[in-house]
Amino acid sequence: APLPTAWLPALQLARRGSKAVTRHWKAMHFQRQKLLAVTEYLPPRPAVPPRCLPAQREHPQEEDGYARLLRRQVEQVFRSSRMVAVCQYNSMPDEDVVTMRYYLRKHNIEVKFVLNEIVRPVLAQSKYRNLLPLFVCRNILLVSPETRAREMLRVLKGIPQVNLLGACIDNTILSRQGVENFSRLPPLEASQGQTVGALALLPSQTSSLLQHGPSLLTALLDEHIRRLRGTAAPGEPPQEQGKG
Amino acid sequence: PAGPGGVAVPRAGLKKLVLPPDYSGITFPEKPKLKFMEKVPAVPKVRREPRRLRDIRGPSREATDFIQGQYGILALGGGYLHWGHFEMIRLTIGRHIDPKSMFAVWRVPAPYKPVTRKSLGHRMGGGKGPIDHYVTAVRSGRLVVEVGGRCEFGQVRPFLAQVAQKLPFPAMPVSRQSLQEMRREEEEKRLNNQNPWTFERIVTSNMLGMRKYLSPYDLRFHGRYWGKFFLKHRI
């Protein structure tokens, strides 16, 4: 409903004191001062003061495109490589870094510098959750599509600033000792050949096994025939024995 | 991140690459610097005018929003600007802006209102004095100058504040966003005011015969303006 229209006052305080607009701050009538004091702004007071409520932490909403790209790269690296070794990296002179990269490249191992704040969320969501404790300080990743641990260890032995922390080879998480043991294993082809040989041992004996009885019988009969022919005595009943 | 001994070890994270600001929609005027304002209008006034101080009173109706630039000086009170003020503004801003990448625009006209002065040391009487100088009237809420171009508010604010301090009325440097923010906050305050008694309500319905002590202009100004002053903290 619109506010009720008011009546104009019969008396008006005019021609009193200075004009309406002055350069100085004109003194207000006391009634006006009281009116201004009554009609001051009162801010809203919530029932529970905000400082009693749990602190609202502002989570970062803007996702950096660059961070997203790096995360995608890390995921791709983990998917495409068979061997991923995590090493602690202390500051090295640049030429030493280049030399290390060169030697590792010869064995088809790539060196990747990663930021923990990008790798940690990626690992937490993938199946490599147990590698999370390794990504604490400055670190590098040595990735390779082949598993040549022996050459890698040889190269890293000559560099005191880079220390191997752990590795994930063929979806198996290995510690430092595990990697050393892994490197001392015979190469894959040799072990494959050994396994095939071990497995093929029994089937290779099958034919000789099957022929064992008849061959024994044949040998006995031959012996018997020889004895018969040799002694020229009346044929003794052949001694039949059970198949051995 | 705590290091050995509980000392915080600073660590650098990924650098957040910020895109440079986009200055695509900015049109530069022909002359980037402020125009020279004449002391006296081209056709000087012959007839002496009454003082008419009501051109200072109340909120401004013109030049309240930005036209070309992004930053400007907002007047928070009424007053008169004379040629000395104009020169000060022109020279200070001209000294600080780079004409190749920034520009400035006047939002007040050149002095047009004649102000008379009687010669010093004479008694009252003898008619109205001759015209002494010309001034422009500025009401509160009006923009005085606008600055724009390929620049940020932080770059422009120091010298605009310097200029604003020297003006005869209270003023402050504003940008488009900050002005919008101010207006939005004012609106919010007006809406969430917990006081059931507002000046507007009491005056329009003449509660307690308050209009005996107030002016008819207070119906329009709602207690925010008093003479040439603008009371920022009221509602």
Side-chain angles (χ1 to χ4, degrees):
Chain A
L3 289 164
T5 45
W7 40 267
L8 270 172
L11 272 171
Q12 261 184 338
L13 298 166
R15 293 188 172 279
R16 195 199 168 291
S18 45
K19 298 199 157 81
V21 180
T22 49
R23 286 176 207 276
H24 61 88
W25 176 269
K26 192 164 139 189
M28 287 189 191
H29 196 279
F30 191 57
Q31 291 281 20
R32 194 196 161 100
Q33 285 179 37
K34 284 198 282 191
L35 177 64
L36 289 180
V38 164
T39 54
E40 265 170 12
Y41 170 69
L42 284 178
R45 289 185 67 187
V48 181
R51 68 184 182 140
C52 296
L53 294 166
Q56 264 189 19
R57 231 156 283 159
E58 203 189 292
H59 40 266
Q61 285 135 2
E62 274 206 45
E63 237 242 4
D64 207 10
Y66 186 48
R68 248 204 316 252
L69 172 78
L70 290 173
R71 248 176 270 144
R72 234 185 301 146
Q73 278 185 347
V74 169
E75 279 163 21
Q76 213 259 323
V77 148
F78 269 103
R79 240 182 287 137
S80 60
S81 62
R82 271 177 67 190
M83 171 171 89
V84 176
V86 185
C87 309
Q88 186 216 12
Y89 169 82
N90 299 304
S91 331
M92 266 158 71
D94 284 338
E95 50 262 24
D96 286 0
V97 175
V98 173
T99 325
M100 175 184 84
R101 282 190 119 125
Y102 170 70
Y103 279 118
L104 286 171
R105 206 77 189 78
K106 280 194 162 174
H107 304 303
N108 199 9
I109 300 176
E110 267 186 23
V111 173
K112 293 220 186 282
F113 284 84
V114 285
L115 281 176
N116 289 339
E117 69 176 73
I118 290 165
V119 183
R120 287 192 138 243
V122 170
L123 291 185
Q125 278 143 23
S126 68
K127 54 183 178 172
Y128 302 99
R129 236 155 281 138
N130 293 318
L131 283 173
L132 273 176
L134 293 178
F135 289 90
V136 177
C137 52
R138 284 194 77 176
N139 42 36
I140 52 174
L141 285 181
L142 306 176
V143 301
S144 161
E146 325 149 2
T147 56
R148 290 159 75 164
R150 208 178 319 166
E151 288 90 350
M152 185 182 78
L153 279 176
R154 207 175 300 146
V155 171
L156 291 180
K157 196 167 66 166
I159 306 170
Q161 289 104 337
V162 173
N163 308 309
L164 180 66
L165 299 175
C168 175
I169 304 180
D170 283 334
N171 289 332
T172 330
I173 295 182
L174 301 165
S175 68
R176 201 207 168 88
Q177 281 79 35
V179 175
E180 283 164 16
N181 295 342
F182 177 81
S183 61
R184 265 181 245 119
L185 285 174
L188 191 67
E189 290 75 25
S191 46
Q192 269 177 353
Q194 264 184 17
T195 329
V196 165
L199 288 171
L201 190 65
L202 284 175
S204 60
Q205 286 178 348
T206 320
S207 61
S208 55
L209 209 68
L210 287 169
Q211 287 174 359
H212 184 77
S215 60
L216 202 64
L217 184 62
T218 332
L220 285 170
L221 287 173
D222 282 337
E223 184 58 42
H224 180 64
I225 293 165
R226 219 176 295 124
R227 280 209 193 137
L228 280 177
R229 288 210 189 114
T231 54
E236 285 171 7
Q239 287 186 13
E240 285 193 12
Q241 285 183 1
K243 292 203 178 113
Chain B
V7 183
V9 176
R11 234 190 347 206
L14 188 65
K15 179 167 177 152
K16 305 243 170 18
L17 298 162
V18 179
L19 291 167
D22 182 30
Y23 295 128
S24 50
I26 296 178
T27 41
F28 275 65
E30 298 99 38
K31 300 212 174 135
K33 291 200 183 172
L34 285 170
K35 188 176 70 153
F36 172 76
M37 294 295 213
E38 301 283 334
K39 252 199 213 186
V40 172
V43 180
K45 303 234 167 94
V46 176
R47 179 144 187 214
R48 288 163 293 189
E49 287 175 359
R51 214 150 302 185
R52 255 187 251 116
L53 288 166
R54 53 182 178 268
D55 53 6
I56 303 294
R57 198 178 189 188
S60 170
R61 291 236 195 126
E62 49 180 2
T64 44
D65 280 309
F66 284 91
I67 283 200
Q68 268 189 315
Q70 289 106 56
Y71 320 107
I73 300 183
L74 185 76
L76 294 172
Y80 288 120
L81 288 172
H82 56 68
W83 185 73
H85 295 126
F86 279 99
E87 281 301 284
M88 180 272 292
I89 297 174
R90 190 176 68 87
L91 293 172
T92 315
I93 292 189
R95 209 179 320 132
H96 285 105
I97 64 164
D98 174 26
K100 280 181 271 187
S101 60
M102 290 149 55
F103 63 88
V105 158
W106 286 113
R107 291 308 297 277
V108 286
Y112 58 87
K113 178 172 176 172
V115 161
T116 59
R117 282 253 190 285
K118 282 187 92 68
S119 29
L120 191 57
H122 285 255
R123 299 205 171 180
M124 293 282 105
K128 193 164 164 83
I131 293 176
D132 185 46
H133 58 272
Y134 291 78
V135 293
T136 36
V138 171
R139 288 193 153 128
S140 34
R142 186 189 179 132
L143 289 167
V144 180
V145 279
E146 258 182 54
V147 178
R150 290 186 278 273
C151 50
E152 295 295 310
F153 193 35
Q155 231 176 316
V156 167
R157 203 179 3 202
F159 62 83
L160 285 187
Q162 205 184 354
V163 167
Q165 220 178 2
K166 292 191 184 177
L167 294 173
F169 40 81
M172 66 186 271
V174 289
S175 68
R176 286 195 194 230
Q177 286 90 24
S178 79
L179 189 63
Q180 218 178 20
E181 263 300 309
M182 250 192 330
R183 293 209 174 131
R184 196 182 56 83
E185 267 171 23
E186 231 173 281
E187 191 60 34
E188 254 184 47
K189 273 180 93 172
R190 207 169 59 80
L191 289 170
N192 66 15
N193 188 8
Q194 298 300 301
N195 197 346
W197 308 110
T198 51
F199 194 98
E200 181 189 345
R201 183 178 164 199
I202 293 180
V203 166
T204 44
S205 45
N206 194 11
M207 294 184 180
L208 294 174
M210 268 297 130
R211 280 188 65 184
K212 183 173 171 197
Y213 310 103
L214 303 170
S215 144
Y217 286 89
D218 286 313
L219 283 163
R220 259 186 279 157
F221 301 156
H222 303 320
R224 299 198 77 190
Y225 298 89
W226 178 238
K228 65 170 186 171
F229 303 101
F230 170 56
L231 309 168
K232 201 164 188 299
H233 53 274
R234 295 277 316 160
I235 302 179

